Amino acid sequence: MPPKKRYTYQADMPYARQPLKAIYVFQRLFTSIVMCAWWAVYYSIMPHNRRPRPSWTLKCVLSVNFTRRIYKVTELAGVTWGTRDPDKECSGKSLKYTRFEWVPPLPEDLRTGVIADPQVPFRRVGCFVWPKERPKIIPACVDDKSSPAPSQNPLMDLEESVGDVPLIGIFLHGGGYCHMSAHENAPTSQIPARLIKDKAFTEIHSVEYRLLQHAPFPAAVQDAAAVYAHIVRRHQRLSVVGSGKSSSQSSGGTSQNGHVEYLTVDGNYGQRVKYKRENAEIHARVSEVIANTHCKIVLIGDSAGGNLVLALARWIRDEGVLPPPDGLLLLSPSCDPSHAFPESPSSYVPRPHAETDYLVDTPEPRALLQRTFLGHNPLETMHSPYVSPASQRVLTAFYGDAFAASVADLTIAQLNDDHRQFLRTMASAPATPLQMMSRNNSTAYGFGDRTTAPLVVGPPEMTPTNTIGTVSSGRGRVNGKSSVNGSGNDTGNDSDTGNSSGDEDGPPHGHRRSPTSLAHPMIGSPRGLSLFTEFPRTCVVLGDAERLEREVTKLVGAMERDGTEVHTIWVKDAPHDVLQMKWWDERVRDTVWKQVEEWVATV
């Protein structure tokens, strides 16, 4: 079989090669500066109602217009800024506010699900940790030779951990997966810097995940998962077999010294749990991990970082090994990159607010960037809940045509309490499709030929007998309960066991579920869960003048549908990612920061 084509976001760009690249970038920068002078004169003379938004100051107008012109060089010349080599160490002497730490690659026993891709190697991950001095209540890393070794007395560890519970943030920066870094001097680092300055968090780990220039999906999720698992292990209380719980009560492994290793999974784990019993067992063992983890974790992401936060939270939920985060803080999250891939050119719908946001929306360059992000993965991956959880195709698959249509053009102004209640109780949830694969296509289950198999919809009894994929029940789920009307009331139908024959232990002969990871079917429902069932509480910050308004509002609607506790902070007349815009109205930003920190205090 011939090797698959490797896509790079610069390959087909008109000005990506020298000397055209230098000429184009220079003229773009020069003309943008000239335009700033023109805008300053024009908007100073004209009345405020002629500005993109009447409430904008002159500084706001110049900031958005200038940034939008500069962003164009990424689309046409492939220029990136603010990046650094993720494999390069950063000297502590050059850092004023953070300390640099290496996090080891994700342990092998956790390399399951959508992140288990042999074409994308697991790597150690660099983190810039705020603040520079490690707080006393934060335990040292195991390999930190400069800090005292942790106590070897587990009972003492239990006693000492009764005090304050640290609140740990994991920050995933924005930049469209091709710009910026986690370095303290990067523009996006304003976010962790402000949160630490205001003492909203005990510590924040800013992750130097791999951008699309270095590795395709799921590299960024791998890196984020490594940091998350590292923090969970670092804050685990020690427990002794027999002192509290017996080894038979614990689902984790047992080390030679008798301590329970809560995050070790035995080899039969993935095979021995099914649907309801699987969910019950996962909940029991994850609750045990939570009870023995002495910290709270909030995932923080802006723009593309918000997309990565959603993917990491989904992987944690789907795999059911690590404890879930205590909250998600999403700042203008990108949640529908599939927008760049319409079914046909004529079906492309431009994102709104072209005049009030600095994000560009030219379909062809955006498609090049996204195709590079996918790498060797099939194009169907773009419609995975791990990549585009707010796409119309995903929403239709999980909730039905009526729900998808009701949120297609939803705006911030429309999403009031009445509309939220309407979305929660809509009675149109179809079967969630899982991929169907023939017995002959054995490589489709692994990581060889990734040819996409068809997606099907229907209850388990409709599954053909000559396939090895199955479909989930045809019901939505709210707060973990099966429902046909979104109210959370169980209909009594027992099809959510995934077994039309009534056998509790699994599907009938000749059938088995697709992997929980859904690495192949790009739309699917692990263990009968809905799209956002069992997601942690979430805070969403979004401006009503940004191009992501529709997709983020759809995301909020879908989360509401599945019973996720969502706190929304709508910022009037604000463009994309307003909290990292230095030139914006500082009074507005301070108000938003106060609201964000009030939410964080409730976690």
Side-chain angles (χ1 to χ4, degrees):
M1 178 178 294
K4 292 187 176 182
K5 180 180 178 181
R6 297 182 65 86
Y7 291 85
T8 62
Y9 66 100
Q10 296 180 338
D12 299 315
M13 291 179 175
Y15 304 115
R17 294 177 178 84
Q18 300 292 4
L20 288 178
K21 183 173 185 176
I23 296 172
Y24 174 75
V25 172
F26 174 78
Q27 73 84 18
R28 192 74 181 176
L29 180 60
F30 176 77
T31 55
S32 296
I33 294 174
V34 173
M35 289 299 296
C36 280
W38 160 247
W39 291 323
V41 173
Y42 177 80
Y43 288 110
S44 296
I45 298 173
M46 302 302 293
H48 279 226
N49 60 10
R50 298 296 299 271
R51 296 180 179 181
R53 290 291 172 102
S55 66
W56 284 11
T57 64
L58 183 60
K59 188 168 64 172
C60 294
V61 176
L62 297 179
S63 176
V64 170
N65 288 0
F66 178 80
T67 306
R68 183 167 56 240
R69 282 187 60 85
I70 295 302
Y71 264 47
K72 201 73 174 178
V73 302
T74 298
E75 293 198 335
L76 298 180
V79 175
T80 58
W81 54 85
T83 63
R84 63 182 298 274
D85 185 352
D87 295 323
K88 184 179 179 181
E89 187 157 3
C90 187
S91 171
K93 295 180 180 179
S94 64
L95 300 174
K96 294 182 179 180
Y97 311 106
T98 62
R99 63 188 190 273
F100 183 82
E101 293 181 358
W102 284 112
V103 170
L106 188 71
E108 290 190 11
D109 59 325
L110 297 179
R111 298 178 185 180
T112 61
V114 75
I115 66 173
D117 186 339
Q119 296 194 50
V120 181
F122 288 84
R123 308 286 290 272
R124 67 175 183 172
V125 186
C127 281
F128 292 86
V129 188
W130 303 73
K132 188 174 182 65
E133 298 298 326
R134 179 171 60 86
K136 292 182 179 180
I137 63 173
I138 301 294
C141 290
V142 176
D143 57 354
D144 187 351
K145 306 302 182 184
S146 63
S147 300
S151 169
Q152 299 300 313
N153 185 341
L155 296 179
M156 183 181 299
D157 288 332
L158 285 170
E159 292 173 0
E160 292 179 351
S161 65
V162 174
D164 293 337
V165 177
L167 180 59
I168 309 299
I170 298 179
F171 177 65
L172 303 169
H173 67 82
Y177 287 114
C178 62
H179 302 294
M180 303 301 173
S181 77
H183 194 280
E184 63 179 34
N185 292 333
T188 54
S189 290
Q190 296 177 68
I191 294 168
R194 177 65 181 255
L195 291 170
I196 287 296
K197 177 185 175 182
D198 293 348
K199 295 181 171 55
F201 287 84
T202 309
E203 190 176 72
I204 296 179
H205 294 246
S206 189
V207 183
E208 194 71 279
Y209 61 86
R210 283 169 286 178
L211 302 176
L212 56 80
Q213 302 95 306
H214 303 285
F217 177 84
V221 189
Q222 290 178 353
D223 296 346
V227 175
Y228 188 86
H230 174 75
I231 292 174
V232 171
R233 288 179 183 272
R234 189 176 185 177
H235 290 268
Q236 273 188 269
R237 294 186 180 112
L238 294 178
S239 179
V240 178
V241 176
S243 65
K245 292 191 175 188
S246 67
S247 59
S248 62
Q249 290 175 303
S250 173
S251 56
T254 306
S255 62
Q256 293 181 352
N257 61 8
H259 295 160
V260 175
E261 175 54 76
Y262 293 101
L263 301 184
T264 297
V265 182
D266 62 82
N268 295 324
Y269 174 75
Q271 288 74 34
R272 64 185 167 84
V273 287
K274 300 289 181 183
Y275 286 87
K276 281 185 175 180
R277 293 195 306 170
E278 180 178 1
N279 284 321
E281 182 169 345
I282 285 173
H283 294 162
R285 69 183 308 280
V286 168
S287 295
E288 184 178 352
V289 180
I290 294 172
N292 290 280
T293 303
H294 188 64
C295 73
K296 293 182 179 181
I297 302 176
V298 174
L299 303 182
I300 311 164
D302 71 294
S303 195
N307 182 279
L308 184 51
V309 162
L310 290 167
L312 175 60
R314 184 169 304 282
W315 175 78
I316 293 169
R317 184 205 70 169
D318 287 358
E319 300 309 306
V321 178
L322 293 165
D326 295 274
L328 309 180
L329 177 54
L330 305 176
L331 312 174
S332 297
S334 168
C335 44
D336 185 17
S338 69
H339 174 80
F341 295 92
E343 294 182 3
S344 64
S346 61
S347 64
Y348 184 83
V349 179
R351 285 169 167 158
H353 308 310
E355 299 300 320
T356 58
D357 200 2
Y358 56 83
L359 291 183
V360 287
D361 195 44
T362 313
E364 294 83 1
R366 299 305 305 170
L368 286 174
L369 285 167
Q370 298 302 340
R371 197 64 188 87
T372 303
F373 172 73
L374 294 182
H376 60 280
N377 294 283
L379 188 59
E380 186 71 14
T381 310
M382 191 51 66
H383 294 283
S384 167
Y386 281 93
V387 179
S388 303
S391 76
Q392 284 296 98
R393 185 170 175 185
V394 170
L395 297 180
T396 300
F398 277 90
Y399 308 117
D401 293 332
F403 179 90
S406 69
V407 297
D409 299 312
L410 193 61
T411 65
I412 290 174
Q414 294 171 326
L415 192 58
N416 53 28
D417 290 342
D418 291 338
H419 204 102
R420 288 174 192 255
Q421 185 62 26
F422 169 73
L423 295 177
R424 293 186 190 116
T425 56
M426 286 189 68
S428 60
T432 300
L434 286 179
Q435 188 178 26
M436 303 290 296
M437 287 168 280
S438 67
R439 292 182 182 276
N440 295 329
N441 190 12
S442 58
T443 56
Y445 250 112
F447 301 95
D449 180 15
R450 292 201 169 208
T451 303
T452 303
L455 298 173
V456 297
V457 177
E461 59 270 18
M462 293 178 60
T463 305
T465 58
N466 64 343
T467 61
I468 58 174
T470 66
V471 292
S472 70
S473 68
R475 294 174 291 165
R477 300 179 72 86
V478 179
N479 293 326
K481 297 181 180 181
S482 301
S483 172
V484 292
N485 59 12
S487 64
N489 299 321
D490 200 320
T491 61
N493 186 333
D494 213 17
S495 64
D496 58 27
T497 61
N499 183 358
S500 58
S501 67
D503 182 4
E504 275 190 2
D505 292 331
H509 180 69
H511 296 69
R512 67 184 178 90
R513 278 182 50 75
S514 295
T516 303
S517 67
L518 311 174
H520 244 312
M522 293 308 121
I523 300 174
S525 179
R527 307 190 311 277
L529 301 176
S530 188
L531 188 58
F532 291 106
T533 305
E534 298 182 3
F535 261 59
R537 68 176 71 180
T538 301
C539 177
V540 177
V541 179
L542 181 71
D544 68 357
E546 61 176 290
R547 301 202 96 159
L548 302 187
E549 181 193 19
R550 276 201 301 250
E551 63 189 67
V552 177
T553 312
K554 286 193 291 185
L555 173 78
V556 173
M559 285 184 153
E560 292 279 359
R561 166 76 175 185
D562 284 336
T564 301
E565 180 185 329
V566 185
H567 177 70
T568 51
I569 300 174
W570 305 134
V571 189
K572 183 174 176 56
D573 296 339
H576 181 67
D577 220 351
V578 69
L579 290 181
Q580 62 98 20
M581 293 191 69
K582 290 184 177 180
W583 276 32
W584 204 253
D585 189 331
E586 203 57 37
R587 294 171 300 177
V588 173
R589 284 166 31 107
D590 284 341
T591 300
V592 177
W593 277 121
K594 182 179 179 181
Q595 292 176 291
V596 167
E597 290 163 3
E598 287 175 351
W599 177 84
V600 170
T602 67
V603 173

